[in-house]
Amino acid sequence: MTCFVLGGVQSDFARNLAREGRELVDLCGELIDGALADAQLEASELGVIHVGNAFGELFTGQAHLGAMPATARPALWGVPAMRHEAACASGSIALLAALAGLEAGHHEVALVLGVEQERNVPGEQAARFLGAAAWAGHEGQTARYLWPHMFSQLADVYAERFGLDDRHLAALSRKNLGNARANPLAQTRGWTISEATFAADDAQNPRIEGRLRRSDCAQVTDGGAALILASAPFAERWARARGRSLASTAQIRGWGLSTVGLPLEPKLARSAAGGLVFPHVAAAFQQACARAEVTLHELCGVEVHDCFTITEYMALDHLGLTPPGQGWQAIEDGRIERTGALPVNPSGGLIGGGHPVGATGVRMVLDASRQVTGRAGACQVDGAHTFATLNLGGSATTVASFIVGARAAG
């Protein structure tokens, strides 16, 4: 891989755009300005724009979001732009498209935006809109909240095949909400958290669907993230002009992508004989590591998709941290804490940080790039030089993983 991250920005995920009287166009404009400023570039230097967005038509009635950057900032008129959708992996797909164009030599500099507005409708309506990422009309029709219902089924499978202690799920929620308190852009950073937050108590921590309680669920979020990516030749010129060294610039070194069918049940049935529940999830991560020529033990941390606590629990054994079904080992021995051997979600993840669906894949890579360049602030992992991401769309239908590194951190 020869793609460098020259800059990036994230919005405050605690914001409610509708209450501010703002729209997606305003958010896009803010992200464009912030990313260009962070990279010390002008709009005229951008060669292409890729927008990740999952649900614009449903939440806002707005399609054709590839044209939104030029709508927000007329300086971008004429710059090729396109929108990408893959549910919660939409931002990662936008990143992959940008990487492909840079590596092919079609462009030297790409702006990648991930944006979503979800808090402008009531909660149950938001849940119905989000359900479009499942196999619509074929699964989850009886559930009040489709995605908690679907991922509760995953928790049931872990319980049946391996045994599952709900206290381990509560520990993941506690970790991620705790990490988010140090993140100045996290949606939950100002929440009042106590042991009652994680209690197995239907009054204090009600069940949402099946096994999953309120504390097991990520947030409905407005927000976005942006990255400016560049080819190696452009990055070298950029660094020289600013008196910098590429040794301290984040680089996307590897990627993996796997896509399977929409419904959950066939995914679970394929692994019924034993082993990992979702082998294709592990395959995407392994592809990224192989392309980057790194092993799990060389990573300094991972940002994983914790739309629900059981999703992060699943990620632990699929990353290879533990044998299949034994993710509890990595929770109990502390290795996934921010000060542990392999921190997982030091940003707070989706549960603590927030989950604006189309932005999540971009936000993960932004956080990884900040970690490996020593710019992660209070969320910084000491000595970080190589980070991974694992981003899922739907019921682990689209799986994307990136490896981000820098030759010298900080």
Side-chain angles (χ1 to χ4, degrees):
M1 300 290 294
T2 56
C3 173
F4 288 84
V5 179
L6 303 191
V9 68
Q10 177 194 322
S11 69
D12 184 344
F13 283 4
R15 292 172 64 184
N16 184 313
L17 294 178
R19 289 181 183 172
E20 295 177 12
R22 294 179 178 270
E23 303 177 16
L24 279 179
V25 66
D26 302 299
L27 180 60
C28 285
E30 293 172 15
L31 293 168
I32 292 164
D33 294 345
L36 288 171
D38 193 53
Q40 299 180 9
L41 290 177
E42 300 294 329
S44 59
E45 296 177 270
L46 297 177
V48 68
I49 302 169
H50 294 273
V51 180
N53 175 271
F55 298 113
E57 293 89 337
L58 293 173
F59 282 92
T60 70
Q62 182 64 61
H64 205 173
L65 287 170
M68 192 59 79
T71 304
R73 295 294 180 264
L76 298 176
W77 280 50
V79 179
M82 59 211 78
R83 180 260 190 105
H84 305 269
E85 185 277 316
C88 303
S90 297
S92 290
I93 300 304
L95 279 163
L96 286 169
L99 290 176
L102 292 171
E103 290 209 50
H106 299 316
H107 308 283
E108 287 194 305
V109 185
L111 168 67
V112 181
L113 293 173
V115 293
E116 207 77 62
Q117 182 175 14
E118 301 170 356
R119 301 181 70 187
N120 57 329
V121 301
E124 290 200 24
Q125 186 176 357
R128 289 194 296 273
F129 287 164
L130 295 169
W135 193 16
H138 294 269
E139 57 182 349
Q141 301 99 307
T142 62
R144 182 180 183 186
Y145 298 108
L146 184 140
W147 285 117
H149 166 77
M150 299 285 278
F151 279 90
S152 179
Q153 292 182 54
L154 176 61
D156 289 342
V157 166
Y158 265 86
E160 292 162 7
R161 296 184 188 180
F162 311 106
L164 177 64
D165 189 333
D166 290 342
R167 290 176 297 179
H168 291 130
L169 301 185
L172 292 174
S173 180
R174 185 181 292 106
K175 170 181 69 72
N176 292 340
L177 287 168
N179 286 346
R181 299 187 78 80
N183 183 345
L185 299 174
Q187 187 170 357
T188 70
R189 65 186 185 271
W191 285 17
T192 299
I193 305 295
S194 69
E195 280 308 303
T197 304
F198 313 103
D201 184 295
D202 290 344
Q204 298 183 88
N205 186 22
R207 293 184 184 274
I208 304 301
E209 291 279 351
R211 299 177 70 100
L212 299 186
R213 297 181 180 276
R214 183 170 56 198
S215 62
D216 292 306
C217 305
Q219 314 310 313
V220 174
T221 311
D222 289 351
L227 288 167
I228 292 182
L229 309 181
S231 65
F234 185 95
E236 289 168 1
R237 298 195 302 272
W238 172 86
R240 283 198 304 271
R242 291 157 181 79
R244 298 185 183 184
S245 169
L246 281 185
S248 58
T249 303
Q251 181 180 3
I252 298 179
R253 294 180 172 171
W255 60 270
L257 177 66
S258 182
T259 310
V260 297
L262 281 166
L264 175 61
E265 184 54 41
K267 300 181 184 81
L268 300 175
R270 282 171 177 256
S271 63
L276 293 171
V277 175
F278 295 140
H280 66 284
V281 171
F285 174 67
Q286 291 162 4
Q287 288 170 21
C289 289
R291 286 189 170 100
E293 299 182 339
V294 300
T295 66
L296 173 68
H297 302 295
E298 294 173 281
L299 297 177
C300 301
V302 191
E303 286 287 329
V304 307
H305 200 93
D306 60 315
C307 51
F308 302 96
T309 52
I310 187 59
T311 323
E312 180 170 336
Y313 192 87
M314 177 272 294
L316 298 179
D317 60 5
H318 286 64
L319 292 170
L321 270 171
T322 72
Q326 306 303 308
W328 58 269
Q329 296 175 356
I331 297 169
E332 290 194 352
D333 65 22
R335 79 185 85 162
I336 61 173
E337 298 290 334
R338 190 172 63 82
T339 56
L342 188 72
V344 175
N345 290 337
S347 69
L350 284 63
I351 285 174
H355 183 29
V357 172
T360 287
V362 182
R363 191 275 304 163
M364 288 178 167
V365 172
L366 173 62
D367 277 336
S369 70
R370 287 175 169 167
Q371 286 284 354
V372 302
T373 55
R375 298 180 63 198
C379 298
Q380 183 68 49
V381 172
D382 289 344
H385 54 76
T386 309
F387 247 72
T389 73
L390 185 66
N391 182 204
L392 311 181
S395 55
T397 300
T398 301
V399 185
S401 179
F402 294 94
I403 306 295
V404 181
R407 280 173 272 177

